[in-house]
Amino acid sequence: MPNIKSHLSQLIVEALNVVAPGSLSTTIELTRPKQESHGDFSCNIAMQLAKPLQRKPREVAKDIVDALPHSPWVDKTEIAGAGFINFFLSSASKQRVVTAILQTGEAYGRAASNGRRVQVEFVSANPTGPLHVGHGRGAAFGASLANVLAAAGYQVAREYYVNDAGRQMDILALSTWLRYLEFNGINVPFPPNAYQGDYVRDMAKIIQDHHGDRYIHEPWRVLDGAPSVEEDAEGHLDQLIANAKRLLDEDYAYIHNLALTEQLGDCRNDLTEFGVVFDMWFSEKSLFDSALVERALALLEQNGHLYVQDGATWFRSTQYGDEKDRVVKRENGQFTYFASDIAYHLNKFERGFDELINVWGADHHGYIARVKGALQAMGLDPGKLTIALVQFAVLYRGGEKVSMSTRSGEFVTLRELRSEVGNDAARFFYVLRKSDQHLDFDLDLAKSQSSDNPVYYIQYAHARCCSVLVKWGGAPGMLASEADLAKLAIPYELTLLKRLNDYPETVGMAARELAPHLIAYYLKDLAADFHSYYNAEQFLVDDESTRLARLALVLATRQTLKNGLALLGVSAPEKM
């Protein structure tokens, strides 16, 4: 059975061989008309060819239609408007999708391998505390996108970049040590810009339980040389970090690593419970241990893209559309986060991926030009890197906005959200809008069991399919060979068949556009079509051939709902 769009395209190509043999390089576009009266597919090829052929579009369209070979899948063609060719498919062409679904099962909608390796890097939150609901949207989007790309034929590598070598980890280590000192009666004022959450006290308690007073130092030594918070809050924090490293010496690594291990472990467990699993957790620290940061900067310097000013080393990012040049190495010899990112992307290219997709928060928009500029400056192809921006989600409960803030500790964690609304609602609601669009997450709606809740509405359609098949009590496996699909001819059935036919193309489009929300939209439409059919018709009718045909359609609908929900990381319950 041919893919219907490919089949129609081939028919047009054969007609063009007769009408305009020299025009075969013209792109043939087939789209779904917005109005059903305009057929199942529409093509504007005659309008594209009219000018080069110096003829009227409708005349070209008529010649193409007259030259179209006969096809059992096409009932009729019509010329509409300025010269559109509208194709009306036969019922048989729509009915055959049921057989295709029942024969392929979970593989329905999945394309053959295209041989391309793509890396999707997402979440990559600093391991300085529990994941919050903002991270949750990036996690749900990235995981769903990776699933969609895999279904579209890509070999997908899912990666989390662990910022385990920067200042934020030092702030977390310091915060943990200061809370530990508190537990031991050492009174050092806790900086307002340190990490405030209860999880910091939990880590401090672990240190105290295992090591007692081993890491105690006098308050004046901890504060030695630090400016006041009022005078220089960040400088105060940096001096406390320097003092901690000096006073604790080799023991500082223990506290730093404990904080990293605890928070990274918590993050990994949280994501795993959310159905988000990574193939690689890539350590920023490894970039320094392998001297890749130095090698990447040496490559930029060799190509003439670095300069020294005021003791610091700068990358000429303004040459690549950035608003100002960027420091890669500070006057004190420390590398910046940007230097690490340059090296990390060099590493990605050296691993041989065909395409790279970074899922970033929308607040990183300004970072795109400098990263792509660094790739180009190293002689790499920036076109291989795509940045998918994700807006943070805003929670609403009872119509009121729920506030959150990482450093202050007053945030709603992803774990709390999952506990309140469940994994399925969280995963679905997060991808219900295009990733770069603002998302209002209505907690009350996500928990409601009504048709207004899209995930409930879709899962209920799946459960209804299961209920019909259980009530029938037969063996579903026999439907593929024994059902007479020609019996599927009423409008509800033809609408549902048309929707089922659209699923593989929807998966392909979602992959091309990096848009898993298209799967969510599709599933809502498919569920609506099925609920309408369910409410209007009986399935277990007396006529056996009609009964088996309808059951086959129910089974195909159930399979497609399940396949689509799986791409979004949402379960398909059999009972509700």
Side-chain angles (χ1 to χ4, degrees):
M1 294 181 185
N3 172 282
I4 194 63
K5 284 187 75 172
S6 298
H7 178 65
L8 294 178
S9 294
Q10 186 56 39
L11 294 179
I12 295 170
V13 167
E14 291 183 33
L16 290 177
N17 272 324
V18 176
V19 176
S23 62
L24 296 184
S25 61
T26 307
T27 302
I28 297 172
E29 296 178 0
L30 288 157
T31 58
R32 288 284 196 186
K34 293 181 179 179
Q35 297 181 33
E36 284 194 24
S37 61
H38 292 169
D40 296 290
F41 286 98
S42 183
C43 184
N44 66 349
I45 187 68
M47 297 155 71
Q48 294 182 63
L49 293 176
K51 188 173 182 179
L53 293 177
Q54 297 183 332
R55 298 180 63 196
K56 293 179 180 179
R58 288 184 66 91
E59 291 178 358
V60 177
K62 184 179 185 306
D63 286 349
I64 294 173
V65 168
D66 290 343
L68 286 171
H70 170 75
S71 168
W73 310 125
V74 180
D75 256 356
K76 65 176 180 176
T77 56
E78 288 181 355
I79 300 168
F84 289 99
I85 301 173
N86 294 336
F87 292 85
F88 294 77
L89 301 180
S90 65
S91 295
S93 72
K94 299 173 184 178
Q95 294 156 353
R96 69 201 181 99
V97 71
V98 174
T99 302
I101 295 171
L102 301 189
Q103 288 178 344
T104 55
E106 292 182 359
Y108 179 64
R110 303 188 73 88
S113 172
N114 59 21
R116 296 185 66 78
R117 297 178 63 227
V118 59
Q119 183 215 52
V120 183
E121 183 231 317
F122 59 109
V123 185
S124 297
N126 287 338
T128 53
L131 295 174
H132 58 62
V133 294
H135 299 132
R137 189 177 186 193
F141 171 79
S144 297
L145 175 61
N147 291 343
V148 167
L149 290 168
Y154 288 86
Q155 182 181 336
V156 182
R158 300 157 173 85
E159 186 153 310
Y160 189 116
Y161 179 55
V162 182
N163 297 104
D164 54 1
R167 180 172 181 264
Q168 294 305 316
M169 281 307 306
D170 282 331
I171 295 173
L172 181 64
L174 172 70
S175 304
T176 304
W177 183 50
L178 293 179
R179 292 302 189 197
Y180 160 82
L181 294 177
E182 274 184 20
F183 280 134
N184 286 279
I186 305 299
N187 184 25
V188 176
F190 198 83
N193 49 348
Y195 285 99
Q196 308 283 337
D198 288 339
Y199 65 94
V200 179
R201 289 187 170 87
D202 293 340
M203 293 189 295
K205 187 69 167 59
I206 292 173
I207 297 172
Q208 185 186 43
D209 289 345
H210 285 82
H211 299 282
D213 60 1
R214 173 173 174 172
Y215 307 117
I216 289 178
H217 287 273
E218 296 168 288
W220 70 269
R221 293 185 183 277
V222 178
L223 294 166
D224 187 31
S228 68
V229 171
E230 294 74 18
E231 178 187 350
D232 182 2
E234 295 302 318
H236 177 85
L237 206 58
D238 287 338
Q239 187 59 53
L240 262 57
I241 291 170
N243 292 345
K245 291 180 178 179
R246 176 173 48 83
L247 294 169
L248 293 168
D249 196 23
E250 293 182 359
D251 288 334
Y252 178 80
Y254 161 73
I255 294 177
H256 183 283
N257 290 337
L258 180 138
L260 171 64
T261 301
E262 286 292 317
Q263 293 312 308
L264 198 56
D266 179 75
C267 171
R268 191 191 303 258
N269 291 338
D270 198 5
L271 290 170
T272 300
E273 290 171 5
F274 195 36
V276 178
V277 178
F278 291 89
D279 302 303
M280 168 76 81
W281 294 72
F282 190 98
S283 163
E284 178 189 7
K285 185 173 178 292
S286 71
L287 298 170
F288 293 96
D289 294 343
S290 65
L292 188 59
V293 176
E294 290 92 334
R295 181 156 65 85
L297 296 190
L299 185 57
L300 289 174
E301 184 172 23
Q302 174 186 322
N303 293 343
H305 297 289
L306 298 184
Y307 65 92
V308 177
Q309 181 176 303
D310 300 326
T313 304
W314 299 69
F315 169 58
R316 300 182 192 277
S317 55
T318 51
Q319 293 184 351
Y320 301 97
D322 199 2
E323 59 186 15
K324 62 181 180 179
D325 290 345
R326 304 291 171 174
V327 175
V328 291
K329 191 174 184 180
R330 298 188 180 94
E331 187 179 357
N332 62 8
Q334 291 186 338
F335 295 104
T336 61
Y337 284 120
F338 182 41
S340 302
D341 284 339
I342 294 171
Y344 178 42
H345 284 83
L346 173 59
N347 171 274
K348 290 185 180 189
F349 271 80
E350 291 182 343
R351 279 187 272 164
F353 293 108
D354 298 297
E355 297 178 42
L356 303 172
I357 299 171
N358 291 355
V359 179
W360 288 350
D363 55 337
H364 284 65
H365 182 273
Y367 213 70
I368 298 174
R370 75 193 72 157
V371 170
K372 287 201 167 196
L375 291 176
Q376 189 171 342
M378 288 188 290
L380 302 171
D381 178 9
K384 285 189 174 183
L385 172 64
T386 300
I387 310 297
L389 295 176
V390 178
Q391 290 280 359
F392 278 179
V394 178
L395 295 184
Y396 285 84
R397 182 185 288 111
E400 297 292 325
K401 184 178 177 179
V402 179
S403 62
M404 64 180 186
S405 168
T406 26
R407 191 74 73 83
S408 70
E410 300 172 355
F411 55 82
V412 178
T413 66
L414 174 60
R415 188 173 279 113
E416 289 168 336
L417 173 69
R418 295 193 296 105
S419 176
E420 181 168 349
V421 305
N423 273 1
D424 286 342
R427 286 291 298 261
F428 192 89
F429 271 64
Y430 271 136
V431 298
L432 197 49
R433 294 285 179 271
K434 192 175 180 182
S435 67
D436 60 359
Q437 289 181 348
H438 180 83
L439 175 67
D440 290 337
F441 194 120
D442 187 331
L443 295 166
D444 300 316
L445 178 61
K447 290 184 289 184
S448 71
Q449 296 187 356
S450 71
S451 59
D452 292 331
N453 179 352
V455 68
Y456 178 85
Y457 187 66
I458 295 164
Q459 289 178 319
Y460 188 41
H462 183 271
R464 272 183 156 178
C465 291
C466 294
S467 174
V468 169
L469 293 165
V470 168
K471 191 173 180 180
W472 168 51
M478 55 85 73
L479 292 172
S481 57
E482 297 192 20
D484 178 7
L485 301 178
K487 294 289 185 178
L488 301 174
I490 64 174
Y492 289 110
E493 292 164 347
L494 294 175
T495 297
L496 195 50
L497 289 167
K498 183 176 179 180
R499 189 77 65 190
L500 293 172
N501 268 297
D502 285 344
Y503 179 66
E505 184 182 351
T506 302
V507 173
M509 186 182 301
R512 288 191 301 274
E513 298 183 9
L514 308 185
H517 70 278
L518 295 178
I519 304 297
Y521 289 178
Y522 171 85
L523 290 171
K524 285 202 301 179
D525 290 339
L526 177 59
D529 292 339
F530 179 75
H531 285 307
S532 295
Y533 183 34
Y534 182 94
N535 293 330
E537 298 293 333
Q538 293 292 319
F539 300 125
L540 303 180
V541 295
D542 292 336
D543 181 72
E544 184 180 18
S545 60
T546 301
R547 180 171 68 249
L548 293 180
R550 290 182 176 181
L551 288 168
L553 180 55
V554 170
L555 183 59
T557 302
R558 182 181 75 168
Q559 185 67 64
T560 306
L561 286 167
K562 183 177 181 180
N563 291 0
L565 287 169
L567 294 183
L568 303 183
V570 178
S571 70
E574 297 184 2
K575 293 181 180 180
M576 292 181 71

